[in-house]
Every structure is written in C-alpha cells, then in structure tokens.
Amino acid sequence: MVSQALVERAKEFHGHLCPFLVLGLRASEIALGKLGLKKAGERETVGEEILAIVECNNCFTDGVQVATGCTLGNNSLIYLDTGKNAVTIVRRGDWRGIRVYIDSEKLREKYFKREATKLFEKVVARREGTAEDHEKLSRLWTEIARKMMNIPESEFKIEEVRVKEIERAPIFESVRCERCGELVMKTRVEYVEGKPVCLGCLGKSNAVIGRGIVLNFEYPFVREERI
Ligand SMILES: [Zn+2]
Ligand SMILES: [Zn+2]
C-alpha cells in the first residue's frame, strides 16, 4: 500500500495530486516488491542497476520516477513510446522483470465518479473549465487518488517478463559546433563541408513532447539578444 509520505513526495514533484500519479506509485511498488527490490539508491542509480521502463509520458510516469528513483536524468528510466499505462521494473544482470499494466477503462468504470470523468473532459481535454470547475475537479481527483493508494493487485495485469539487454548510457566526447560555438555530444553533430554543425543550427532534432517522440521536430528557439 502506498504511504502518505510517498504521495506527498510525488505531489511535490508532479505539481498536483491526481489518480494516475498515484497509480504510477502503486504499480511501481507492486513491481519492486515482487522483485524484492527497494527504490534505487546511490549504488543503483550510479550503475544503472535497476531500470524502470515506461510506455507513456503522462502523470503515471512521474509516479514511477518518484517511487523507483529511476529518472530521465540518471538514465535508469527508459521510455518506450507505445502509449500504454505500463511500467516494467528490471534488474540489470538477470534481466528478469515485472511488468504492470493498468487498464484505465476498467478502473474508470469502477472507481471514478461519472462527474469526475465529465469534468475532466471539460477542464483538461477541452480546456473550457471555469475556476469553480477547476476547484471541483481538484477535489474529486484528490478523492479518487486516495482510493488508488490501496487499490488491490488484482486490478492490474501483472506479468513476469524477460527483458532483452539494454545498454548502459555511453559517455561520448564533445565537439564544438562550427556555427554557434557550443559544445555538443559527438553523436549529435552533422558534418557540413567537413565542419561539425549542431542539430540546433541545422534546425531539427528528435524531441519528446506531449504526444510522444517526434522525429525531426523543428528547433523551437528564435535567437534574440545574448544577455
Ligand atoms: Zn497529474
Ligand atoms: Zn550550433
């Protein structure tokens, strides 16, 4: 069962309390428990010994990061862009993992009030909520999120999986972009007339945005004055 202290930490990290944040905590806790693991600490994060593999970039994923200690920045979070609410925890070495999947349709019918779903559509999906709607949604969301702390394992699809080995983050040397003068990871420059040029100066790079991984995303900065 998810502790109140963990929920508070997750809320602090995520900015608000919502059902999928808590489901991320609960799913992680189940997977860690079945593997006999605890949240990744110093040794595990330095060595990337435990990986959390998520399949979405939404509230759920923030719950996973807080509960597992596997984050985007410590290279222990792997993001698969399949668009599913699922997390797999795996220990590097034996590569045996536990994957926990959430069927949001099933949970919504059982645990969410119709009122909350309707309000979510108005406030979040259509962005049409009044201040009063926002407040009401926040109240309902908190109520549902609390229920998610103790949701039984039987509500999840839990499977043992064998994970194909995933490389550790390599360390690359940097080269200087010929145009902007900034240092860039060696694998992220292209050579134009024999000179290294960064993807920023070339105008496109792959990006993770709300809808997932987008290839050749247009570099979004318009340079003004240097301050
Ligand atoms: Zn959220
Ligand atoms: Zn450049």
Side-chain angles (χ1 to χ4, degrees):
M1 304 295 148
V2 177
S3 71
Q4 187 58 40
L6 187 59
V7 170
E8 288 307 322
R9 278 208 299 281
K11 183 182 171 186
E12 167 95 21
F13 179 73
H14 184 59
H16 60 261
L17 180 57
C18 63
F20 276 80
L21 178 69
V22 179
L23 284 167
L25 299 174
R26 183 77 180 109
S28 301
E29 191 181 69
I30 291 170
L32 285 169
K34 297 215 178 285
L35 291 165
L37 294 173
K38 288 206 171 72
K39 178 179 173 175
E42 186 167 338
R43 198 175 63 79
E44 293 81 12
T45 52
V46 170
E48 300 163 26
E49 296 301 336
I50 299 171
L51 298 179
I53 306 171
V54 292
E55 302 184 36
C56 56
N57 60 336
N58 59 24
C59 307
F60 181 81
T61 298
D62 272 356
V64 170
Q65 292 189 84
V66 172
T68 64
C70 300
T71 67
L72 182 68
N74 64 25
N75 295 123
S76 299
L77 184 81
I78 306 287
Y79 169 49
L80 303 180
D81 194 8
T82 61
K84 295 185 185 187
N85 288 309
V87 59
T88 302
I89 312 278
V90 66
R91 199 190 337 229
R92 193 180 281 287
D94 65 7
W95 295 105
R96 292 196 167 271
I98 297 288
R99 181 175 183 269
V100 181
Y101 160 83
I102 289 169
D103 193 313
S104 51
E105 203 174 86
K106 201 173 102 183
L107 291 188
R108 203 169 287 135
E109 279 165 15
K110 203 159 165 182
Y111 295 95
F112 287 42
K113 284 183 183 160
R114 178 152 302 178
E115 194 188 2
T117 307
K118 267 200 183 143
L119 212 51
F120 177 82
E121 270 159 24
K122 185 177 178 192
V123 175
V124 184
R126 300 202 304 271
R127 302 185 197 277
E128 287 170 357
T130 61
E132 201 183 313
D133 290 334
H134 274 269
E135 206 177 296
K136 193 162 184 202
L137 180 65
S138 157
R139 256 203 328 274
L140 285 166
W141 244 206
T142 303
E143 198 183 298
I144 301 165
R146 301 238 172 265
K147 278 193 230 163
M148 298 296 137
M149 289 168 71
N150 303 313
I151 195 163
E153 276 188 30
S154 55
E155 297 290 3
F156 299 89
K157 177 181 170 191
I158 305 171
E159 29 186 7
E160 286 181 7
V161 290
R162 200 193 307 244
V163 180
K164 291 184 189 161
E165 193 168 332
I166 298 170
E167 63 171 30
R168 281 195 172 82
I171 296 166
F172 292 112
E173 57 182 270
S174 297
V175 293
R176 207 172 283 284
C177 170
E178 186 64 20
R179 294 193 191 158
C180 66
E182 293 182 357
L183 285 173
V184 198
M185 206 161 84
K186 185 175 108 178
T187 53
R188 290 292 179 278
V189 291
E190 285 181 19
Y191 284 82
V192 180
E193 290 163 0
K195 303 267 168 70
V197 181
C198 77
L199 300 178
C201 288
L202 290 171
K204 278 183 196 318
S205 77
N206 299 339
V208 176
I209 59 169
R211 67 181 147 106
I213 297 172
V214 176
L215 302 181
N216 291 316
F217 184 74
E218 193 180 339
Y219 201 59
F221 310 129
V222 177
R223 289 209 147 97
E224 297 187 324
E225 248 166 282
R226 184 165 170 180
I227 47 172

